[in-house]
Amino acid sequence: MTDKLYYNSAYTHEWHTQITNRADKEDGTYVTLAETAFYPHGGGQPCDLGQIGGIAVLDVNLEDGEVWHKLERSPEQVDVDCALDWQRRFDHMQHHTGQHLLSAITLKLADAMTLSFHLGTDYATIDVAAESLRAEQLAAIEYEVNQQIYRNAPIHTSWVTAEEAARLPLVKQPSVTEDIRIVEIEGVEYNACGGTHVSATGEIGLIKLLKTEKVKGGTRIYFKCGSRALNEFTATQQVLNGLTTKLKTSRDELLERIEKMEQEQKLLQSELNAVKATNDDYYAQELLAAREGLVIAQVFEDKPLKDMQSLATKLTAEHEGLVLFASISEAKVVLAQNGQPPEWACGPFFKGNLGAYQGKGGGSDKMAQAGFANSEDALAFYEFTKEQLGHH
């Protein structure tokens, strides 16, 4: 059985050992080691990566108590030097310890138990048993967890029996009855956990709550710790500086400036809609005057879908035939009618013929619209539809 060094010290990241077993599985080559500091997937924490004998470690899994390391290829030698990707490991240590601290304070201040933990490459989350958390609750939680970081409380790990675990004020009693590992954040909580952690809360650096969302009747809290939190702040600051420079305003006046721009935009959009409506009225009359038979068909270079739909609605209000439009830039086609002739139901026609032109869309009997992968397919469907309309 492998000696799991990550239980003895999460800070071990270079060591010398021997390969004890090799296996070629369906997804690659695996080895076991006499001693390993490579942490396998588990408890919401991703596995460690690094090198064994100079060969990249691609994955680490625990099977029946044995740690298997997936490698790019099998090393020729038995004695090997091993090295963790320390930056990745320490990031995991910060976030796993940060999760313990965040969960403890969320339980204390919001009476919300943590249900699950996820640590990804972009963010970390905990799901807590609370339908919602108010902004002031989140602010209080964030403040308190960072106060505990500044306190630099020691973190201890120990192995206990089931009887000893039952006497501890654990957040949740473990499901296992032997090999119970306890992680204690001094003055904060005891927790049964097999993950890797920093030795004191100060090494978490800082915890920043990013956002929340509702999930399965609870609340998901997104957060970052340490370097990730610092990088998040740096990226946010760069965006903020860019906005204040571009808008020629200060940070404190930024929201007011944006609100003013939104009001100006609404006014401009209202004026533009009025102009479009007037133009559509004139253009509709031109199309009606130039129509031949029951079909009005037109290809536009860059008319948006909504504008084509609006114009089609105006035309069908005054025209008993069919209206067919296509936009080259948007690769969209619109077909509309006001019920005459009755056999031309727009939606069913599109549904029955779009597949041959790789188009997607649909609609009602009176109006249908479709989008295409490119303008060539859109124009081909337009010409096909125009030809079919010409037969009636």
Side-chain angles (χ1 to χ4, degrees):
M1 189 71 68
T2 302
D3 180 11
K4 301 175 179 64
L5 301 177
Y6 49 81
Y7 283 149
N8 303 326
S9 172
Y11 293 84
T12 299
H13 57 279
E14 292 184 350
W15 70 103
H16 183 81
T17 190
Q18 297 78 41
I19 293 175
T20 55
N21 200 358
R22 305 170 191 256
D24 290 324
K25 301 185 181 183
E26 290 184 1
D27 62 335
T29 298
Y30 287 79
V31 301
T32 61
L33 304 173
E35 301 91 20
T36 187
F38 285 99
Y39 185 82
H41 293 282
Q45 180 175 324
C47 71
D48 288 319
L49 301 177
Q51 293 188 338
I52 295 175
I55 298 172
V57 175
L58 306 177
D59 200 6
V60 186
N61 292 292
L62 185 66
E63 297 179 13
D64 299 324
E66 189 66 86
V67 181
W68 287 92
H69 310 76
K70 181 181 179 181
L71 304 179
E72 285 186 338
R73 65 181 187 280
S74 182
E76 296 180 2
Q77 69 273 33
V78 173
D79 290 345
V80 287
D81 290 319
C82 303
L84 293 179
D85 178 342
W86 174 245
Q87 185 175 352
R88 175 183 171 92
R89 158 62 75 80
F90 190 66
D91 172 78
H92 291 173
M93 290 163 62
Q94 286 181 312
H95 279 84
H96 204 149
T97 312
Q99 176 264 310
H100 279 255
L101 187 56
L102 177 58
S103 293
I105 300 305
T106 303
L107 180 61
K108 175 184 175 182
L109 298 185
D111 195 28
M113 176 73 76
T114 293
L115 306 174
S116 64
F117 164 55
H118 170 73
L119 175 55
T121 55
D122 296 325
Y123 54 81
T125 64
I126 57 171
D127 290 356
V128 301
E131 289 189 6
S132 63
L133 292 169
R134 301 187 307 277
E136 57 267 28
Q137 285 180 297
L138 293 168
I141 291 168
E142 183 178 82
Y143 176 81
E144 181 59 26
V145 294
N146 282 289
Q147 288 300 307
Q148 293 297 333
I149 290 173
Y150 307 150
R151 193 167 68 86
N152 199 28
I155 297 170
H156 310 288
T157 60
S158 60
W159 296 90
V160 300
T161 64
E163 292 76 13
E164 290 170 328
R167 292 194 293 269
L168 292 173
L170 297 177
V171 175
K172 180 182 178 182
Q173 287 296 322
S175 57
V176 296
T177 57
E178 56 185 21
D179 295 332
I180 300 172
R181 185 169 179 261
I182 301 298
V183 177
E184 175 197 358
I185 302 178
E186 199 171 282
V188 178
E189 71 158 10
Y190 290 83
N191 211 321
C193 181
T196 58
H197 306 84
V198 295
S199 61
T201 58
E203 290 187 77
I204 299 172
L206 73 152
I207 296 179
K208 181 61 185 173
L209 306 189
L210 303 175
K211 65 177 182 177
T212 63
E213 66 182 21
K214 291 184 181 296
V215 55
K216 297 178 182 177
T219 299
R220 178 165 293 167
I221 302 174
Y222 289 75
F223 70 98
K224 291 187 179 182
C225 299
S227 296
R228 286 202 211 184
L230 178 61
N231 293 338
E232 179 77 18
F233 178 79
T234 300
T236 302
Q237 191 65 39
Q238 288 174 343
V239 172
L240 183 60
N241 289 343
L243 286 172
T244 55
T245 299
K246 195 171 188 65
L247 299 179
K248 296 180 175 61
T249 187
S250 67
R251 183 184 68 178
D252 295 338
E253 297 174 346
L254 184 58
L255 286 178
E256 183 181 342
R257 180 74 180 91
I258 291 175
E259 288 173 357
K260 184 179 179 181
M261 289 175 61
E262 287 177 342
Q263 292 173 355
E264 293 171 348
Q265 177 66 24
K266 288 179 181 178
L267 180 61
L268 288 172
Q269 188 63 51
S270 178
E271 294 174 351
L272 178 60
N273 290 341
V275 171
K276 281 185 176 181
T278 302
N279 286 344
D280 280 354
D281 287 339
Y282 283 116
Y283 194 45
Q285 295 307 315
E286 288 182 5
L287 290 174
L288 285 168
R291 73 183 183 276
E292 296 180 4
L294 291 174
V295 179
I296 295 175
Q298 183 69 40
V299 175
F300 300 99
E301 187 65 36
D302 57 1
K303 203 171 190 66
L305 174 63
K306 286 186 178 181
D307 289 356
M308 288 196 296
Q309 291 171 322
S310 176
L311 181 58
T313 299
K314 287 182 180 295
L315 286 166
T316 55
E318 303 181 38
H319 173 59
E320 293 186 348
L322 294 119
V323 176
L324 176 65
F325 290 153
S327 173
I328 295 175
S329 64
E330 292 205 351
K332 298 278 185 13
V333 174
V334 170
L335 178 64
Q337 54 108 348
N338 68 355
Q340 298 292 333
E343 68 270 17
W344 266 97
C346 302
F349 176 78
F350 271 37
K351 185 177 181 180
N353 295 283
L354 279 173
Y357 297 86
Q358 292 75 52
K360 294 182 180 180
S364 66
D365 287 352
K366 292 190 175 183
M367 181 178 289
Q369 55 282 320
F372 300 83
N374 52 63
S375 59
E376 288 78 11
D377 288 340
L379 288 174
F381 181 73
Y382 168 86
E383 292 296 341
F384 164 77
T385 304
K386 185 178 179 181
E387 182 181 355
Q388 295 300 307
L389 296 179
H391 293 161
H392 293 269

